[in-house]
């Protein structure tokens, strides 16, 4: 056997060993990516649940929220502060989801669900009024997404059957 033949056999052996290693490596990366995505989705779900807890655990805040989505300007100073703090957390959560989508962590299907939720909220005058006061607290890329949703001019439907005139604030 000459050296060329031995070299060729060595290269063939390297390829035979290298290809399964590359396949194994690719599978590992795919699994890690899947686990990373699922972990991110789980974290976002927990954040969302923590955020919306204020609405179902506090009747006073739920009433304030419903009044605020209809008109931020009509809220008194303290109510504006509370509504604004909630909306800021709400929209920072949306912004985090937007960047998770841009990084490929969230699927298009999940982002579509989030965008539909944003459209529901942004259809209301009070949320739009609040956005005008806090747009500058968000990145330009995310602000353009919100502005584009607002520009659609969707009709408010999420709370359209809620009778605001029947809201009774809890006694203190």
């Amino acid at each position: 056997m000459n050296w060329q033949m031995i070299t060729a056999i060595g290269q063939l052996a390297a390829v035979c060993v290298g290809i399964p290693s590359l396949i194994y490596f690719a599978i590992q990366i795919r699994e890690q990516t899947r686990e990373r995505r699922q972990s991110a989705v789980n974290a976002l779900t927990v954040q969302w649940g923590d955020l919306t807890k204020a609405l179902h655990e506090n009747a006073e805040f739920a009433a304030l929220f419903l009044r605020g989505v209809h008109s931020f300007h009509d809220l008194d100073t303290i109510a504006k502060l509370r509504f604004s703090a909630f909306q800021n957390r709400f929209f920072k959560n949306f912004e985090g989801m937007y960047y998770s989508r841009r990084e490929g962590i969230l699927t298009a299907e999940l982002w579509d669900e989030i965008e539909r939720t944003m459209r529901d909220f942004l259809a209301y005058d009070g949320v739009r009024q609040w956005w005008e006061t806090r747009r500058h607290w968000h990145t330009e890329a995310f602000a353009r997404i919100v502005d584009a949703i607002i520009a659609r001019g969707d009709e408010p439907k999420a709370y359209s059957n809620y009778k605001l005139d029947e809201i009774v604030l809890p006694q203190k």
Side-chain angles (χ1 to χ4, degrees):
M1 263 195 185
N2 67 25
W3 286 109
Q4 289 177 339
M5 182 69 96
I6 293 173
T7 303
I9 291 171
Q11 289 174 346
L12 181 60
V15 167
C16 289
V17 170
I19 289 176
S21 295
L22 286 174
I23 292 170
Y24 176 77
F25 183 65
I27 290 170
Q28 291 294 7
I29 288 176
R30 186 175 67 194
E31 284 302 312
Q32 287 174 352
T33 300
R34 187 178 315 178
E35 289 172 11
R36 184 174 156 235
R37 279 188 179 139
Q38 189 58 51
S39 180
V41 169
N42 290 345
L44 291 169
T45 301
V46 168
Q47 287 174 355
W48 184 261
D50 288 346
L51 179 61
T52 59
K53 201 184 287 188
L55 296 173
H56 61 83
E57 288 185 351
N58 185 320
E60 177 192 0
F61 184 75
L64 181 154
F65 176 80
L66 286 172
R67 288 194 321 272
V69 297
H70 287 281
S71 177
F72 179 68
H73 296 314
D74 289 346
L75 296 175
D76 65 51
T77 303
I78 299 300
K80 280 182 181 175
L81 179 63
R82 292 180 72 196
F83 182 82
S84 187
F86 180 84
Q87 287 298 100
N88 188 56
R89 284 186 62 207
F90 217 40
F91 277 78
K92 286 295 184 182
N93 196 301
F94 285 140
E95 189 169 14
M97 292 178 194
Y98 165 72
Y99 281 103
S100 291
R101 172 62 189 135
R102 270 189 37 178
E103 296 297 319
I105 296 168
L106 288 181
T107 64
E109 181 180 33
L110 285 172
W111 174 248
D112 288 345
E113 177 186 341
I114 293 159
E115 192 171 342
R116 285 190 306 273
T117 304
M118 289 174 58
R119 284 196 318 253
D120 275 351
F121 288 114
L122 288 163
Y124 284 90
D125 289 338
V127 178
R128 291 176 180 187
Q129 293 163 0
W130 170 82
W131 176 252
E132 291 172 9
T133 71
R134 295 296 182 263
R135 182 188 190 281
H136 65 283
W137 284 9
H138 298 271
T139 64
E140 275 304 312
F142 178 70
R144 284 191 296 274
I145 297 296
V146 173
D147 292 342
I149 291 171
I150 290 171
R152 290 171 46 114
D154 291 341
E155 289 294 315
K157 295 176 188 161
Y159 307 111
S160 61
N161 293 328
Y162 294 37
K163 298 174 183 173
L164 290 179
D165 57 332
E166 293 179 5
I167 294 175
V168 177
L169 292 176
Q171 298 298 317
K172 294 182 182 182

